[in-house]
Amino acid sequence: MSELARTVRTGARLGLRAEAILAAALLSELVLPGDSLWVVSSWITDVEVLDNSQGAFDSVLGDNPPAVCLLSQMLALIAAAGARLHVVTRPGTHNEIFVRRLRAAVANSRRLHVVLDPAVHEKTICGRDWLFSGSMNFTLSGLGTNEESVTYRVSGPEASQAQLDFSERWKESA
């Protein structure tokens, strides 16, 4: 597969947002999940990632599709579709609220691996053959008001390398 990449600079002042790219990437993973999905972010909130108020995504969101799909809901759907979900974030009340919601949403706990790493600063979501990364945390400020630079890259080799790197850095204990 040849590489496709798009870098977007977002922020309230710029009038650009990253939700559409993030939604497309997560929907692609829901429709055809890979073995693993990595979410790495120093700060993470249960942000809205997909507006389904018109029912446009009902056919892929399951039997009781939400009008607004939150990040924890989308990740739980991807895990239910067969992916092993890895979430790496910093310890702390802010992030642990999201982690608790995610744990409650993922029906099969063997499909979820959470690491609380105080040194993590990277911001990436990595799927089967794509990467979404940049300066943006997955928070309301990151998606809405902060000026950020994010790149969405479709590249099997780069995604595979990132998956290997993440697996080595944050191995699961036996």
Side-chain angles (χ1 to χ4, degrees):
M1 164 189 296
S2 63
E3 179 180 306
L4 301 171
R6 166 84 172 147
T7 299
V8 178
R9 285 169 182 74
T10 66
R13 187 171 55 136
L14 299 171
L16 296 173
R17 298 176 61 96
E19 285 97 329
I21 297 170
L22 182 58
L26 292 172
L27 281 168
S28 78
E29 200 68 22
L30 177 59
V31 171
L32 184 62
D35 293 334
S36 293
L37 177 70
W38 284 87
V39 179
V40 180
S41 183
S42 39
W43 303 107
I44 192 164
T45 307
D46 212 3
V47 292
E48 180 180 321
V49 292
L50 185 68
D51 178 359
N52 188 42
S53 58
Q54 301 298 311
F57 304 103
D58 283 358
S59 61
V60 294
L61 292 179
D63 292 335
N64 190 17
V68 171
C69 197
L70 301 176
L71 183 56
S72 65
Q73 293 170 307
M74 183 63 82
L75 295 177
L77 288 169
I78 292 168
R84 175 89 165 118
L85 179 59
H86 305 269
V87 176
V88 181
T89 192
R90 291 177 180 235
T93 304
H94 175 88
N95 294 330
E96 289 170 7
I97 291 169
F98 172 80
V99 169
R100 274 196 305 276
R101 289 181 89 176
L102 182 61
R103 283 188 170 130
V106 175
N108 182 345
S109 64
R110 292 184 311 255
R111 293 237 165 253
L112 179 61
H113 170 225
V114 175
V115 176
L116 299 176
D117 182 344
V120 72
H121 190 67
E122 185 169 346
K123 294 98 173 170
T124 300
I125 297 183
C126 181
R128 163 190 79 262
D129 59 358
W130 57 270
L131 291 154
F132 183 88
S133 63
S135 64
M136 183 185 81
N137 285 301
F138 302 102
T139 63
L140 291 172
S141 296
L143 284 167
T145 57
N146 293 350
E147 291 187 6
E148 308 281 0
S149 177
V150 293
T151 300
Y152 176 61
R153 176 172 281 117
V154 177
S155 168
E158 283 202 33
S160 295
Q161 186 62 55
Q163 295 251 359
L164 288 171
D165 293 346
F166 293 156
S167 293
E168 185 59 31
R169 278 168 73 186
W170 294 296
K171 291 179 181 166
E172 294 181 67
S173 56

